[in-house]
Amino acid sequence: MEQNTQEKALKGYKTLIMILSLVLVVLAGLYFSQTRALREDKKYLETQRDTLTSQLSTLMTEYDGLKVVNEEMDSSLKIERMKADSLMERLTKERSFSAAKIRKYEKELGTLRMVMKNYVRQIDSLNNMNQKLIAENLKVKKEAASQRQRAESAEEANEELNNRVRLGAMLKARDIKLVALTKNDKVVARAGRAARLRVDMIISANELAAPGKRDIYVRIVGPDGYVLANSANSQFEFEGEKITYSATRNVDYQNQDLPVSVFYNGSGIVSGKYQVSMYIDGILVGTAETILK
């Protein structure tokens, strides 16, 4: 009887030991399984962290590559760049990663990426607008240059026309003669018998010229090369300078041929070649040469 009891107790102990062993095996399996899962989760999280770091680094490079000239946008861009720097610092210093933290960092990175895309769209829009404005500006400048060129051409044509009108309106003298006269106003051929000189001319008709009073100035250059003059004050203006004249006369010109005679009553009449020049309105209107014996 006692022996049977002992055998039953021993059998119970064996059964208990087997059950405990089985439980221990199961627990050991669970432990190793969980440990392996934890190791795998940590490796996964580290991989996610490295991926996030790489993506953030690329995004920061893209931020640095954005070029804006808008002061307000540039200020906002610098703020977002500082946010990216802060996120990179936190990622680098993080020692206890979890799925929740990874999701949080991914969300921040996604926000920065969306902001970046928005900036890119705005910059592209501004660039397109600038290109359009540049094209319009070039068009306006080209049109302005064309108009200026046309205006200059018109001005040149008008100036040329005015010059032609001025040239066409100039008076001319023809049939110019220098004759020597005695005291009785008889024409003589010899200078020794002359008391004064007379210059005869015809001021030609010109419909373009303005009619009215005109001063005629005559310069007579003697054989010695000096201008015959009654006084040192006998001067008029020609091409911006004061020059000496020999005789002058005021006439009334009415756009028709006008015969005119001008007299020199001074001294210095000698034989030789004389050069005669006539001036009206400050313009040389005719010349002639005459030899007095």
Side-chain angles (χ1 to χ4, degrees), residues 10-286:
L10 182 60
K11 186 175 180 180
Y13 287 140
K14 287 182 179 180
T15 302
L16 180 60
I17 290 172
M18 289 180 63
I19 292 172
L20 291 175
S21 298
L22 181 61
V23 170
L24 183 62
V25 170
V26 171
L27 290 175
L30 289 173
Y31 172 77
F32 286 115
S33 176
Q34 289 179 355
T35 302
R36 184 170 59 253
L38 287 173
R39 286 199 300 269
E40 290 177 354
D41 287 345
K42 183 178 181 181
K43 184 176 180 181
Y44 171 77
L45 292 175
E46 289 177 350
T47 301
Q48 291 295 96
R49 180 200 62 186
D50 293 341
T51 301
L52 284 173
T53 303
S54 176
Q55 292 177 351
L56 181 57
S57 178
T58 300
L59 185 65
M60 292 169 69
T61 301
E62 292 176 356
Y63 266 105
D64 292 337
L66 292 178
K67 302 297 181 183
V68 296
V69 294
N70 183 287
E71 185 175 348
E72 183 178 353
M73 184 181 295
D74 183 63
S75 178
S76 298
L77 187 63
K78 288 179 180 178
I79 293 175
E80 296 303 322
R81 182 62 173 79
M82 291 173 62
K83 291 180 180 179
D85 289 337
S86 176
L87 179 58
M88 176 63 79
E89 183 177 2
R90 284 184 282 128
L91 269 173
T92 304
K93 292 182 178 180
E94 184 67 61
R95 292 292 179 268
S96 178
F97 277 96
S98 66
K101 287 184 179 181
I102 289 295
R103 286 194 298 271
K104 179 176 178 295
Y105 287 132
E106 286 177 342
K107 184 178 180 181
E108 290 186 46
L109 179 59
T111 300
L112 288 172
R113 188 176 287 114
M114 289 298 297
V115 172
M116 160 67 75
K117 291 181 179 179
N118 185 46
Y119 276 119
V120 170
R121 284 194 296 269
Q122 291 184 56
I123 292 172
D124 287 342
S125 178
L126 288 174
N127 287 338
N128 291 333
M129 187 180 298
N130 286 337
Q131 291 297 324
K132 184 178 179 181
L133 290 175
I134 290 172
E136 291 177 354
N137 188 34
L138 289 175
K139 182 180 179 181
V140 170
K141 286 183 176 180
K142 187 179 293 184
E143 290 176 352
S146 178
Q147 291 178 357
R148 185 167 58 252
Q149 185 176 4
R150 287 196 296 269
E152 290 175 353
S153 298
E155 185 177 353
E156 290 176 359
N158 185 56
E159 182 64 23
E160 183 179 357
L161 179 60
N162 289 336
N163 288 335
R164 289 182 179 180
V165 171
R166 282 194 295 269
L167 290 173
M170 289 180 183
L171 296 179
K172 298 292 183 182
R174 70 178 195 273
D175 300 337
I176 302 168
K177 297 178 182 178
L178 174 67
V179 296
L181 302 175
T182 65
K183 293 180 180 181
N184 298 323
D185 286 338
K186 290 184 179 181
V187 177
V188 294
R190 295 186 177 276
R193 299 177 58 190
R196 62 177 182 165
L197 299 175
R198 187 184 74 204
V199 178
D200 297 328
M201 71 192 81
I202 296 177
I203 302 175
S204 300
N206 188 342
E207 294 182 356
L208 296 178
K213 298 291 185 178
R214 295 287 199 284
D215 288 322
I216 302 174
Y217 293 94
V218 177
R219 275 168 57 94
I220 304 173
V221 179
D224 57 359
Y226 290 97
V227 178
L228 302 181
N230 290 312
S231 70
N233 294 327
S234 300
Q235 291 185 330
F236 71 103
E237 188 170 328
F238 175 67
E239 294 184 350
E241 296 182 2
K242 294 290 187 178
I243 61 174
T244 302
Y245 65 85
S246 305
T248 183
R249 179 179 175 181
N250 184 266
V251 297
D252 185 12
Y253 179 76
Q254 295 299 324
N255 304 98
Q256 298 179 353
D257 281 354
L258 178 63
V260 177
S261 294
V262 182
F263 295 88
Y264 168 69
N265 297 311
S267 60
I269 302 174
V270 297
S271 61
K273 183 169 67 175
Y274 287 79
Q275 295 179 341
V276 182
S277 303
M278 276 70 62
Y279 301 83
I280 302 176
D281 297 333
I283 298 170
L284 177 64
V285 298

